[in-house]
Amino acid sequence: MSRLLQLATALLLTTTLAHAQIQPPPPPAPQTRPNKKEKPAREDVEWIWQYTPTDTDKDGRENDLVQDLRFRPFLEQFLTAPQTFWGIPIDGRYRSLANTALDHLTVPGKVIADDNRYISISGCTIHFCPARGLLCVDLNGNHHLVVFAALDWIKEGKPTSDPTAEYTLWVFPNDPLTVASGPGQHPPPALTKAIARWAAQPLPGSNIVQNITHAILVDPDGTPHEVAPSVLGVTPSTTKSDTDTDTSAPTLKPRN
């Protein structure tokens, strides 16, 4: 009897081992295809040209431009640097640069075109027009330089009704710009020209030209560089009457 039990046990063990040996190996883990590099978004800016000055709209159509459904996505595509000068942080985060630019262009200013290529768009914030904004766009080429500039009142100083109140000029290009000697791209003359013209305009309803005493040039990654306002086109402010400042721009022919 004992021998029969041993024989039965040996037979059962042999069957189990044989069954285990004929089991197919587990299938190999599925191979994941490497992610293809995403294509950069197409830079479509030509549509902005329709809002530049015409014979019937000498100052352009800034209000219509801001309300164009393409305008906000345009800002979000080109203005991606972090900013810390505008608004109150929520959970440690400031408003995006795109929203900050939109805030500073909400009250319509002008749309000016230069050399059939460059567009500058100005405006200010609601209820506080000393917080002024400027958006400069180069329409030429496949990659476009887009620069947002804003004036920030230095609140620790004098009130905005005082001509000697001080302001900081913040400049955010979508490509790095440098004022130092070296291989980096310097601010184009068309940009400094637009900033100079805009900075020389008196505050609406007054003859006060804002006193810009500081300037910060911010890289696309958010790195700030304090520079002299003059290298960005700003000249020392002088108080002048509204009729002494010619901010008009010639009407240009449609782009082909």
Side-chain angles (χ1 to χ4, degrees):
M1 184 68 178
S2 175
R3 184 172 182 79
L4 288 175
L5 287 176
Q6 290 177 356
L7 182 60
T9 301
L11 183 60
L12 179 61
L13 181 59
T14 302
T15 303
T16 302
L17 290 175
H19 178 74
Q21 289 175 357
I22 63 175
Q23 288 296 316
Q31 295 182 353
T32 58
R33 300 178 63 182
N35 293 330
K36 293 184 178 180
K37 186 177 181 180
E38 294 184 1
K39 295 182 179 179
R42 181 171 176 265
E43 296 187 357
D44 180 13
V45 300
E46 193 71 28
W47 60 271
I48 300 175
W49 185 260
Q50 64 186 295
Y51 297 105
T52 57
T54 63
D55 291 337
T56 55
D57 295 294
K58 299 295 185 180
D59 292 333
R61 296 186 294 123
E62 197 267 358
N63 190 47
D64 293 336
L65 169 59
V66 171
Q67 296 185 54
D68 191 303
L69 295 179
R70 293 167 290 187
F71 189 64
R72 183 185 288 271
F74 161 76
L75 296 177
E76 293 172 346
Q77 178 182 355
F78 287 94
L79 302 180
T80 59
Q83 69 82 25
T84 58
F85 79 92
W86 179 250
I88 299 174
I90 299 176
D91 296 330
R93 296 173 62 96
Y94 282 85
R95 286 179 67 77
S96 70
L97 186 59
N99 284 333
T100 298
L102 191 60
D103 290 344
H104 284 76
L105 299 172
T106 300
V107 177
K110 297 181 179 182
V111 180
I112 298 177
D114 292 306
D115 302 327
N116 213 44
R117 169 177 177 176
Y118 304 99
I119 295 179
S120 56
I121 305 153
S122 62
C124 65
T125 63
I126 296 178
H127 306 310
F128 190 66
C129 228
R132 298 166 56 214
L134 177 72
L135 188 68
C136 297
V137 184
D138 182 354
L139 297 184
N140 274 19
N142 295 323
H143 178 65
H144 306 280
L145 178 66
V146 178
V147 181
F148 168 63
L151 292 180
D152 184 40
W153 171 45
I154 300 177
K155 302 174 182 61
E156 294 78 7
K158 300 176 181 179
T160 59
S161 56
D162 189 326
T164 61
E166 297 185 0
Y167 294 82
T168 298
L169 169 65
W170 291 84
V171 178
F172 298 85
N174 69 319
D175 283 337
L177 299 178
T178 179
V179 297
S181 60
Q185 180 183 0
H186 287 247
L191 174 62
T192 56
K193 173 185 176 182
I195 291 177
R197 178 175 55 207
W198 166 72
Q201 295 176 4
L203 285 171
S206 77
N207 64 346
I208 296 177
V209 176
Q210 290 166 288
N211 181 26
I212 302 172
T213 56
H214 299 80
I216 309 292
L217 181 62
V218 183
D219 291 339
D221 64 1
T223 304
H225 306 276
E226 184 159 7
V227 301
S230 59
V231 302
L232 295 173
V234 177
T235 56
S237 65
T238 56
T239 300
K240 47 181 85 172
S241 65
D242 294 340
T243 57
D244 291 337
T245 303
D246 180 13
T247 59
S248 62
T251 301
L252 300 180
K253 296 180 180 180
R255 287 169 61 87
N256 295 327

